[in-house]
Structure formats: structure tokens, C-alpha cells
Amino acid sequence: MTEILVSDKLIHLRNARISYVIGILEGGIPAHLYFGKRVEKLNPASLLRAASLPGDFSFSMQNCALDHTPQEYPAFGLGEMREGALIVRQQDGTRTADLRFVSAEVIDGKPRLAGLPATFGDDCKTLCLKLHDELLALDVTLQYSIFEDCDAIARSVLFENRSEHALHLERCYSLCLDVPESRYDLITLSGAWARERELIRRPLVMGQQGVGSIRGASSLQTSPFLALARPETTEEQGEVIAMALVYSGNFTAQAYVDPNHYTRVMMGINDTDFQWTLESGAAFQTPEAVMVYSNAGLDGMSRQFHRVCADHLVRGRYAHAPRPILLNNWEATYFNFNEEKLLEIARTAARVGVELFVLDDGWFGHRDSDNSSLGDWFVDKRKLPGGLSALAEKVHALGLKFGLWFEPEMISPDSDLYRAHPDWCIHVNGRTSIQGRNQLILDLSRPDVCEYVYHAVADNLAANAIDYVKWDMNRNFSNVGSALLPAERQKELPHRYMLGLYGILERLIHDFPHVLFESCSSGGGRFDMGMLHYMPQTWTSDDTDALCRCRIQYSTSLVFPPFAMGSHVSAVPNHQTGRIAPISTRGNVAMSGCFGYELDLNRLPEEDLLAVEKQITRVKELRQTLLYGDFHRLLSPYEGNDTAWITVSPDKTQAVFMFTRAMALPGTFPPMLRLRGLDEGATYRIMETGETYGGDELMNIGLCVTLPGGDAASVSYTLKAEAKE
Ligand code: DGJ
């Protein structure tokens, strides 16, 4: 049962499995006392003693006692010598804050966060911990929502200026968690284009460590996620505390170990390019951060994140529905296509069972390469003489849905839009604009630009029968400046950009509820919980090589479930790596996500096309399990030559197991692998081999896997539970 118990000095949030405890210290300082496995009884005296300031508070203040106190929301400048979560500048230019307890209110459910993506749900309770700074006349409400069905707490902070003067938020993170020890490994996901979210695990060391982005997007280079795992924690067992930010822009996720081996973890908007002027009477809401606790290893951590994504974050018609198997023309044609060429691909796609044809980049303006036309969202009649509607009609006539690519946040210097509105892009007057992929970024901090962007997409969706949109974003911020913002608000631009973008997306999904949106940013450059709130799937990476995808999908699954990951079979030699992997392996890896193809099926050898047809039939049969089952990582490509995972349906009657070996090794025993997530008491038949096994046998002794020869070899098995007698 989920409850928030508020007593004189303690506040205890708990559900059936986790507890979070806050203490109100002498003088009203909110201290962090515990986050972990559920506890039944608390001894307030001991808990408070452990966190308390030595002696009388005013005396301790002179001794900077806050420097040793585990706090819920530490502010800069008041005896706190560690980096804190809050810096507020007041009228006289000073930047200290002193937040004291006012009240603890408990509400059923969870309030929405105005203008921001956030988790939702009725089956949760929310603590509104109200704090106040008397000198600043600033109200701060720390919001904590604890869910009934997952071991997660969502946090955010609301600031309300009650003074007569403006206040300036120079830093206001979403979360601070003071953990009274440092015996942890830090896990983060960092990489690059086509190498997104590499799993990085290293012991915490004294001092500052972490990840962040000042690119204007959560980025290809790192993810707004961080986990503290005990050194002995494995996939299957051990403690983990982890957090992810529900935000797609600049962020920080950091851990600081102090000389007493206490660890302070903080997460929120990166303050390198952030500041917010809070006028008298105005409010500011931080993005939300989701914290999870697991004592069942990294597998348990992922289970919690996956549940949050599935049941409390993703919305719309496709949230729990089978995702259409798509074919995207990007790697098949790049910019070089016409209607007939597209239809030729679509016809074969329809014949083998594909359900959605997606027209990628190059259909608008005069875009024959990546150096023009972004912003001019009008069909290129040279390529598509009948326009989008004729193409959509012909694709629909083949029995396929029709999808379209946009990159709405961008503007090419060679575009009518730029010629008409050169000041609509992010730029600094007097400086040569730095281009990325030959393009500039539209200034979404401006309402007029947001209106244009909304209509650029909405008008096309209204005029044509479009069932799916791929929303791309292919460069990061530079020369950050806005023509409209006054000087003192220029540092608001990156966050205003995100608010503008979220506003556009909210309108679009509301106005076009039948459209399936897929987020993309040069691959997985904005794969975060913020985007997932609007678009239920994300293009995981531009790297479609099956072996690279083993790594990328394996580590992406730490936070994100299979239904969030776009994953396609592409041509060989692979366009990113030059590797030749068999069609079976390409299919086996890709089917653990939103499945599709990224190639010209007409160029496949006949036997591969037959294999494609079989893959599609199989995915259609299994996709509910593949997308929405429990995903368990079994063998890590970061630790060796092999990758394995299994997805088990919630009722455990069906599972799909995948094993890939990167490099063939002669003279080795066939791998024996213990499976997870099955019903111990059930008997499973492997449909591909006809063999039967006990669930307990598969999980305790293991499955002996026979691999085909050659590099990049793989098997994928369907396990079905036999009816119990
Ligand atoms: C980057 C995306 O990640 C690709 O899939 C493709 O859509 C290109 N952009 C098109 O320019």
C-alpha cells in the first residue's frame, strides 16, 4: 500500500517495496534520511541524531554545520560548502538562500507540470514539501510522487516569488540525493554518433564526477541518467539507486563524494547556459527527475524504469498497441528518389507483409542533398509530381500506412524561410553563424517561430493522409542567442526552446491523435524520457549494423523498454561499418524493438527476401511480447564476444530468446546459458527446435545454444509454455 506518513519531525513515503524518509531538523532544515528497501518502523531519535547538526542550530551555522548535513534541497551560500541544488540571485546581487520548512501536504495522484513532460498516474501519492526563504520571500515546493506499482519516486521543484522584486534563478536542479556513503560504482551511458549510450561503470572516487550536456539536446554523447550500484551488484542481484531526467535539453547528472565519503547526487537543467528571471508573483517549475531503487540488480532497476515508461509516461493510441512494421527509404535511396522508385520499394514491402512505408528526408523544397530547404515544408514536385497526397493514396492502395520525415526545428540558409526571416534562427548578432550539417536552428524560444513550426507540420498532416511522423533533429546549439529575448534573459533561451518544442508537440499529438510519432536526433541524440512523453518510440541509432546494435540496444535497455527503441534491418555491407552480417542476425537483433527495414527490398537476394517475409510473419505473431514483455539482459557485449537477452510475456507463457556471437571461435564449447524471467513450474517448448525444457531447468541449469558458423552468427528462439495438466 502506498502511503505518506507525516509526523512531527519525520516524513515517510513508502509503497509495498520502497521507503523514502525525510527529517525536519531543528530550525526547519529538511534533511534526507533514507531511500531504499521498505522499512516498517522508524526510530526518529536515532535517525535525526544521525543527520543532525551538532548542538544548537544558530551555533552550528557559525561552524558551517550544513556542510555535513544530508539535505533534501541544499542552497548555495549558507554554511554549505558542497555544490548545492539552488542558487538564487536577489536584487542586491547576493546569491544565498535559506529554505526552512513550512508544511507537508499530501495529495492523492500527481499534479501535472505546466508545459513540461512528466510522469502521470492516479495510483500514486504526492508529497508537497513547502519551504520558505524569508529574506527572499521565496516559496519553494519540493514535490515527491511515489507510485503504487513501481519502485519509483518522481521529483520536481516549484518556485514562487512572493516578493516585490524579481529574483533570478541561476541554478535550480530537479533533485538532490545525499547518500551517507560512497561504496558505489557510478554507471552512466555515454558515446557518440552511431555509438550511443555505451555502458560505463567505474567506482565512485572522492570529488566531482558525472555527465552532462550543453548541446541544447540531451545528446548523442551522454544520457540524462545516472546509477549508483554497489560494487558487488550484478544484473541479477544487489542494490542500485538510479535516476533519469524527464527532459530533452541541457542537463547535468553528477555525483560528489566529500571527504567524509558522503555522496551527493544531483540532476537537473545544466546551469552553464541557464538562468531564469522570476518576476514578482511568477512561478517556475523544474523538469521532473525519476528515481528508482532496486535490490534485484540492474535487471531490477531496468524493470522499474520500463514500468514507469510503459504505465506512467508514454501516451496516446500507440502507447500499448502493436507498432506497425515499417520500411524507411533513407538507406535505400537517400535523397535520390522519385515517386516510381518509392512505389517500387513500397510494392515489394507490401508483398512481404510490411505495414508502414516511411518517406524520409528529401521530399520538400529542392533538397537533393543536406545543404538546403529545411524550413520550406512544401513538396518537391520534381520528385513527387502528384504531391504528397497522391503518393499517400498510392501507398495506402497497397495496403500500407504512410509515414513522413520532418526536421521541423531546423532552417537551411538556402531556404525561402531563411531569406524571409533571417532572424528566426538561434544566432549572435555580429558573429558568423556556425553551421552544423549545413543548417541552423530555429529559435523556438519565440512564439511566432513556434507557430510557424506547428503549422509546417500540422498543415501537411491535415492536407494529406499521413499515419506516422519521424521527427528528426540533426545538430546541436552554437552561437546561442535570440533576436527577441532581452539581454538579461538570453540565458533563458535553451530552456525556453525546450518549452516551445514541448508546446508544439503537445498541440500536434492532441490535434492528430491517430499519428504515430517517432523521435530522432541523428539517431539517438535525444533518446530521453522527455521525448517519450510525446512520441512513444525513438530511432535508437543511425548505426544499423547488427553487432553494433547489440551493444547499443543492450545498454539503452538499462533505462528504456523495447517498445521505445526503433530498430531496423538494413542492407549489407552495412552503410556505417561495412560489415556483412547474415539476414537472420540482422532480423534477430532488430526484432527486440520497434521492428522495421531500412533498405531496398528489391535489391535483396531471393533467399533473403524469403527470410524477410518469415521474419515479418514471426514479429507479427510475437510483437506484443517483444515490445511489452519483460526484457532481461543475459550476456553483455561489453564484457565479451556474445550478447544474449530474453523478452518474457507478462503471464510468462511466451518468450523470445536471442543470442549473438560477434566473432566465430573454433574449438569452443557451445554456450550454456541460464535464462531469466520464466515460470519455474512451467514446461517450455522451443518452437524452432521442438525441444521441451522445464522453466526451472532453463533458469538454473541453462540452455545449450547451437550457433550457425561464421561471424555475427545468432539464434532467436520462441519459447511457449505447454498447457499445464
Ligand atoms: C538523421 C536520421 O537519424 C536518419 O535516420 C535520417 O532520417 C537522416 N537524418 C535524414 O537526413
Side-chain angles (χ1 to χ4, degrees):
M1 182 189 149
T2 304
E3 54 192 357
I4 300 179
L5 309 166
V6 180
S7 64
D8 201 16
K9 297 250 165 57
L10 291 189
I11 303 167
H12 186 177
L13 300 85
R14 69 182 174 193
N15 66 19
R17 298 156 307 274
I18 58 168
S19 281
Y20 188 99
V21 185
I22 299 168
I24 306 300
L25 301 185
E26 203 75 41
I29 303 287
H32 178 69
L33 302 184
Y34 177 71
F35 178 42
K37 194 169 182 218
R38 177 186 161 107
V39 284
E40 294 303 324
K41 286 204 190 99
L42 299 175
N43 178 332
S46 145
L47 271 169
L48 286 164
R49 200 165 56 238
S52 267
L53 312 163
D56 161 63
F57 181 63
S58 51
F59 167 78
S60 305
M61 287 278 282
Q62 289 161 21
N63 291 296
C64 297
L66 282 179
D67 199 24
H68 308 292
T69 304
Q71 293 169 72
E72 281 300 319
Y73 204 67
F76 171 74
L78 225 81
E80 170 58 274
M81 301 300 169
R82 296 164 289 188
E83 292 273 337
L86 177 67
I87 304 176
V88 196
R89 179 162 48 83
Q90 59 165 326
Q91 220 195 0
D92 67 5
T94 58
R95 299 155 81 227
T96 66
D98 183 3
L99 302 178
R100 303 297 177 108
F101 174 78
V102 175
S103 66
E105 193 190 324
V106 176
I107 52 179
D108 286 333
K110 185 169 185 299
R112 288 186 65 86
L113 303 191
L116 285 166
T119 56
F120 53 82
D122 298 329
D123 54 346
C124 66
K125 289 205 184 312
T126 299
L127 166 70
C128 299
L129 188 64
K130 292 202 189 261
L131 312 176
H132 182 72
D133 182 314
E134 213 171 303
L135 183 69
L136 302 179
L138 176 67
D139 282 348
V140 177
T141 306
L142 309 182
Q143 291 163 303
Y144 306 75
S145 299
I146 179 163
F147 295 93
E148 174 97 28
D149 58 350
C150 40
D151 303 344
I153 295 179
R155 291 179 58 176
S156 72
V157 184
L158 176 70
F159 296 89
E160 292 162 291
N161 182 358
R162 306 288 182 206
S163 80
E164 284 167 11
H165 309 286
L167 294 170
H168 306 276
L169 299 172
E170 296 191 346
R171 170 188 295 175
C172 51
Y173 292 154
S174 303
L175 164 158
C176 172
L177 187 73
D178 279 347
V179 183
E181 49 186 317
S182 65
R183 203 179 61 79
Y184 287 103
D185 286 347
L186 174 67
I187 300 177
T188 53
L189 298 172
S190 299
W193 175 77
R195 278 193 289 114
E196 293 93 332
R197 293 173 295 288
E198 300 248 325
L199 199 164
I200 298 173
R201 179 172 181 163
R202 69 281 202 190
L204 277 181
V205 293
M206 208 171 279
Q208 190 78 28
Q209 52 238 280
V211 292
S213 165
I214 51 167
R215 293 166 179 268
S218 48
S219 88
L220 294 158
Q221 286 71 16
T222 189
S223 285
F225 155 81
L226 166 163
L228 298 185
R230 295 290 189 186
E232 64 274 14
T233 292
T234 63
E235 268 298 311
E236 290 167 77
Q237 49 200 343
E239 276 196 309
V240 195
I241 292 172
M243 50 208 70
L245 198 63
V246 188
Y247 191 62
S248 318
N250 294 340
F251 75 93
T252 184
Q254 49 179 270
Y256 171 71
V257 180
D258 76 9
N260 296 318
H261 296 283
Y262 276 35
T263 306
R264 168 164 290 175
V265 186
M266 296 197 291
M267 185 173 247
I269 297 178
N270 194 307
D271 60 3
T272 300
D273 202 13
F274 172 81
Q275 185 184 298
W276 200 268
T277 299
L278 202 57
E279 298 294 351
S280 166
F284 180 85
Q285 179 87 54
T286 73
E288 179 170 278
V290 175
M291 305 186 309
V292 306
Y293 170 79
S294 156
N295 59 2
L298 297 177
D299 182 278
M301 171 196 79
S302 300
R303 186 91 31 259
Q304 303 313 323
F305 276 129
H306 293 189
R307 278 197 193 130
V308 170
C309 291
D311 298 330
H312 300 287
L313 187 69
V314 172
R315 300 174 292 169
R317 217 165 271 190
Y318 283 96
H320 301 107
R323 306 289 168 78
I325 296 172
L326 67 81
L327 184 138
N328 179 306
N329 76 310
W330 177 240
E331 289 196 11
T333 66
Y334 294 103
F335 296 98
N336 180 17
F337 59 82
N338 57 31
E339 190 185 83
E340 188 39 39
K341 199 164 170 184
L342 297 177
L343 288 172
E344 226 175 84
I345 299 172
R347 273 184 219 110
T348 312
R351 186 159 62 76
V352 296
V354 167
E355 298 163 308
L356 162 68
F357 176 79
V358 179
L359 172 53
D360 209 279
D361 197 352
W363 59 266
F364 52 93
H366 57 97
R367 190 161 162 95
D368 296 325
S369 74
D370 62 16
N371 67 7
S372 84
S373 305
L374 295 168
D376 298 345
W377 298 103
F378 311 104
V379 72
D380 182 351
K381 291 267 173 94
R382 296 172 308 153
K383 292 180 184 170
L384 303 173
L388 287 173
S389 54
L391 178 64
E393 202 175 301
K394 288 173 192 166
V395 169
H396 282 143
L398 294 170
L400 295 168
K401 290 176 185 293
F402 177 65
L404 196 61
W405 178 96
F406 289 90
E407 196 181 356
E409 299 159 65
M410 297 293 150
I411 180 166
S412 304
D414 177 10
S415 67
D416 291 345
L417 187 67
Y418 187 77
R419 284 180 280 273
H421 300 286
D423 60 335
W424 275 17
C425 65
I426 291 178
H427 67 284
V428 173
N429 279 334
R431 289 203 187 281
T432 308
S433 285
I434 297 166
Q435 297 182 23
R437 209 193 188 206
N438 307 307
Q439 64 203 49
L440 302 168
I441 306 182
L442 283 168
D443 177 2
L444 299 191
S445 72
R446 297 174 58 137
D448 53 350
V449 175
C450 289
E451 198 58 22
Y452 178 87
V453 169
Y454 167 80
H455 280 290
V457 180
D459 293 354
N460 274 298
L461 296 185
N464 305 290
I466 296 168
D467 309 291
Y468 159 106
V469 166
K470 179 175 174 185
W471 184 291
D472 207 346
M473 194 268 193
N474 284 309
R475 63 154 295 180
N476 290 153
F477 285 18
S478 58
N479 282 10
V480 185
S482 167
L484 276 199
L485 287 174
E488 67 280 8
R489 285 188 182 266
Q490 287 291 338
K491 281 179 92 178
E492 296 182 9
L493 194 159
H495 183 57
R496 285 189 180 275
Y497 180 97
M498 291 318 306
L499 294 177
L501 175 61
Y502 290 143
I504 295 166
L505 293 173
E506 188 68 35
R507 268 175 91 184
L508 285 170
I509 61 168
H510 174 268
D511 295 349
F512 302 94
H514 66 282
V515 174
L516 169 61
F517 283 86
E518 177 156 349
S519 166
C520 174
S521 179
S522 305
R526 219 164 39 183
F527 204 139
D528 55 64
M529 284 196 175
M531 280 298 147
L532 268 186
H533 190 56
Y534 306 92
M535 315 199 219
Q537 58 195 60
T538 299
W539 180 226
T540 311
S541 175
D542 272 352
D543 189 344
T544 52
D545 174 274
L547 294 187
C548 294
R549 276 302 189 111
C550 282
R551 292 170 71 87
I552 297 168
Q553 291 174 209
Y554 182 95
S555 42
T556 300
S557 80
L558 251 69
V559 186
F560 299 103
F563 72 74
M565 293 188 226
S567 45
H568 302 166
V569 172
S570 61
V572 288
N574 178 270
H575 291 199
Q576 293 79 39
T577 62
R579 193 172 0 247
I580 298 180
I583 189 79
S584 53
T585 298
R586 283 177 274 155
N588 292 341
V589 175
M591 69 177 64
S592 315
C594 299
F595 188 64
Y597 293 85
E598 189 101 2
L599 46 73
D600 184 349
L601 293 169
N602 298 309
R603 293 200 211 152
L604 284 184
E606 194 49 38
E607 74 225 56
D608 281 7
L609 195 60
L610 279 174
V612 164
E613 203 167 349
K614 286 196 186 130
Q615 283 169 357
I616 291 175
T617 310
R618 181 159 179 247
V619 170
K620 282 182 183 166
E621 192 213 329
L622 299 173
R623 68 181 144 190
Q624 204 62 25
T625 295
L626 285 165
L627 293 169
Y628 301 108
D630 286 340
F631 182 87
H632 302 275
R633 296 172 295 269
L634 300 174
L635 274 180
S636 170
Y638 293 92
E639 287 166 13
N641 196 20
D642 301 333
T643 307
W645 54 59
I646 187 169
T647 322
V648 184
S649 65
D651 66 1
K652 299 184 190 288
T653 59
Q654 192 179 61
V656 183
F657 164 76
M658 194 289 306
F659 186 109
T660 298
R661 172 158 287 180
M663 189 169 73
L665 292 172
T668 52
F669 288 112
M672 184 79 170
L673 193 63
R674 292 204 286 188
L675 308 190
R676 284 218 302 283
L678 300 172
D679 175 356
E680 291 234 327
T683 302
Y684 289 93
R685 180 175 298 276
I686 298 185
M687 305 313 285
E688 289 73 12
T689 65
E691 294 172 319
T692 55
Y693 295 86
D696 54 353
E697 179 184 358
L698 290 170
M699 293 202 289
N700 295 307
I701 302 177
L703 174 69
C704 180
V705 179
T706 314
L707 282 169
D711 288 343
S714 74
V715 294
S716 172
Y717 293 149
T718 309
L719 281 69
K720 288 197 177 165
E722 309 262 271
K724 286 186 180 159
E725 274 149 36

